[in-house]
Amino acid sequence: MKKATIVAFDKFTDIDIFLAWDLLNRVRLRDKDFEVKIVGTSAKHRSVCGIDLDMHGQIEECNDADLVFFSSGPGTRALYKDPAYLSRFQLDPNQQLICSMCSGALILAAMGHLTGITATTYPTAVEALRALGVEVVEDQHLVVHGNIATAAGCLAAVDLVGWAVEKLYNHKVKEDVINSVLPVGQGQACIY
């Protein structure tokens, strides 16, 4: 069984969680042995737009997941400075795919996963990411180094999840999932 975890927290960006959730569950519809969970530190977290979202588990579930997806949002600004929060993660980029949307890169950097590599993030988080010693690539929406990827701009989640799906499965599964959400005429029809 393969497992993907999507990390949520109070003041997460709605589209980051829900777009990744939708795309990854399109994989689950193809592979019943693929599990997707939204995890956090509480039983429920509230989005920037005010949606209360029930969690499927705690963040420690990330430690044995095949894919760990960090969302973004104003909530990252406190979390990346919180040693107690960061210590709950025991991630291994040699064994796991680890990725972030926008300011989620701050959490990856604070855990040391961006040391010595380049990354991207949303423009409002660039200076904070640089302050953590990361060389920021501002003109690319997706930056990949081995099993670590960072993305900038909410719709970049399509490419970020596509990268992860291709690494976990293959190019065909990635194309099927991504084409199923493209505007009509830009992808192929997929019926789920």
Side-chain angles (χ1 to χ4, degrees), residues 10 12 14 18 44-47 49-55:
D10 287 330
F12 67 83
D14 298 62
F18 299 119
K44 185 179 298 226
H45 286 289
R46 179 169 284 183
S47 76
C49 294
I51 295 175
D52 288 325
L53 182 62
D54 291 332
M55 298 295 102

Side-chain angles (χ1 to χ4, degrees), residues 70-108:
F70 286 89
S71 62
S72 74
T76 60
R77 300 320 196 273
L79 294 176
Y80 86 91
K81 298 174 185 174
D82 182 349
Y85 177 80
L86 299 173
S87 71
R88 293 175 70 178
F89 294 97
Q90 303 299 316
L91 306 181
D92 181 358
N94 293 314
Q95 304 294 320
Q96 299 171 286
L97 301 178
I98 303 169
C99 60
S100 65
M101 283 303 308
C102 299
S103 65
L106 296 170
I107 296 171
L108 294 188

Side-chain angles (χ1 to χ4, degrees), residues 75-189:
T76 60
R77 300 320 196 273
L79 294 176
Y80 86 91
K81 298 174 185 174
D82 182 349
Y85 177 80
L86 299 173
S87 71
R88 293 175 70 178
F89 294 97
Q90 303 299 316
L91 306 181
D92 181 358
N94 293 314
Q95 304 294 320
Q96 299 171 286
L97 301 178
I98 303 169
C99 60
S100 65
M101 283 303 308
C102 299
S103 65
L106 296 170
I107 296 171
L108 294 188
M111 287 191 279
H113 294 301
L114 301 181
T115 302
I117 61 174
T118 58
T120 191
T121 190
Y122 198 70
T124 58
V126 166
E127 292 311 314
L129 192 56
R130 281 192 178 127
L132 292 170
V134 177
E135 181 182 340
V136 180
V137 179
E138 295 185 66
D139 61 349
Q140 292 180 13
H141 73 282
L142 181 65
V143 175
V144 176
H145 294 280
N147 286 343
I148 296 175
T150 55
C154 295
L155 294 181
V158 174
D159 290 339
L160 182 60
V161 171
W163 163 80
V165 169
E166 186 165 359
K167 294 267 291 182
L168 287 171
Y169 290 90
N170 57 52
H171 186 73
K172 170 93 169 84
V173 174
K174 170 198 166 183
E175 288 298 310
D176 286 350
V177 167
I178 300 307
N179 286 340
S180 72
V181 298
L182 292 177
V184 171
Q186 293 182 16
Q188 63 189 20

